[in-house]
Amino acid sequence: MTHYHDGDDLKLFSELKTLAPDEFKGFVALDAIVGKEDGAIPRKYRELIALAVACTTQCPYCLDVHTRNAKRAGATRKEVAEAAFLAAALRAGAAATHGALALKLFDQA
């Protein structure tokens, strides 16, 4: 293996479908809400939200899919960059608040 993440890994999705068909069907239905065209949130923003979440979950495959989809939906490079920094701000905020939790747990120990 030359690197951990490989786009060809997604070809294994068909095996997941075979091994856990009901669960796979549920996942596909849930995943489809990102691409919903008739929701209150326009498609471009849905993709930018998905991209930002992918930054925080650090899923390279999600980043690949949702970055391309955001571009197709009319997002700009600037919007992609801002979405990434919004995600970073929330990720940093979570670290800070978990620091407060760590102090609470320390005091209780």
Side-chain angles (χ1 to χ4, degrees):
M1 180 174 3
T2 59
H3 56 279
Y4 187 69
H5 298 292
D6 184 344
D8 284 342
D9 293 344
L10 296 179
K11 293 176 183 174
L12 296 172
F13 253 56
S14 62
E15 286 187 45
L16 290 174
K17 182 179 180 179
T18 300
L19 294 167
D22 291 338
E23 293 81 354
F24 187 86
K25 182 179 177 182
F27 169 75
V28 169
L30 183 61
D31 189 55
I33 68 171
V34 177
K36 188 175 178 178
E37 296 288 351
D38 60 349
I41 299 172
R43 176 71 184 271
K44 178 174 93 168
Y45 300 116
R46 295 174 92 82
E47 293 296 345
L48 286 167
I49 291 167
L51 187 154
V53 170
C55 286
T56 62
T57 61
Q58 299 175 331
C59 176
Y61 308 109
C62 297
L63 278 172
D64 181 30
V65 168
H66 295 296
T67 300
R68 280 187 280 114
N69 288 346
K71 184 176 183 177
R72 282 190 206 117
T76 65
R77 289 184 88 218
K78 184 173 180 169
E79 288 172 322
V80 168
E82 287 184 10
F85 279 108
L86 285 166
L90 283 238
R91 185 77 173 206
T97 58
H98 275 78
L101 176 58
L103 291 177
K104 175 181 163 183
L105 295 171
F106 180 88
D107 291 343
Q108 292 175 353

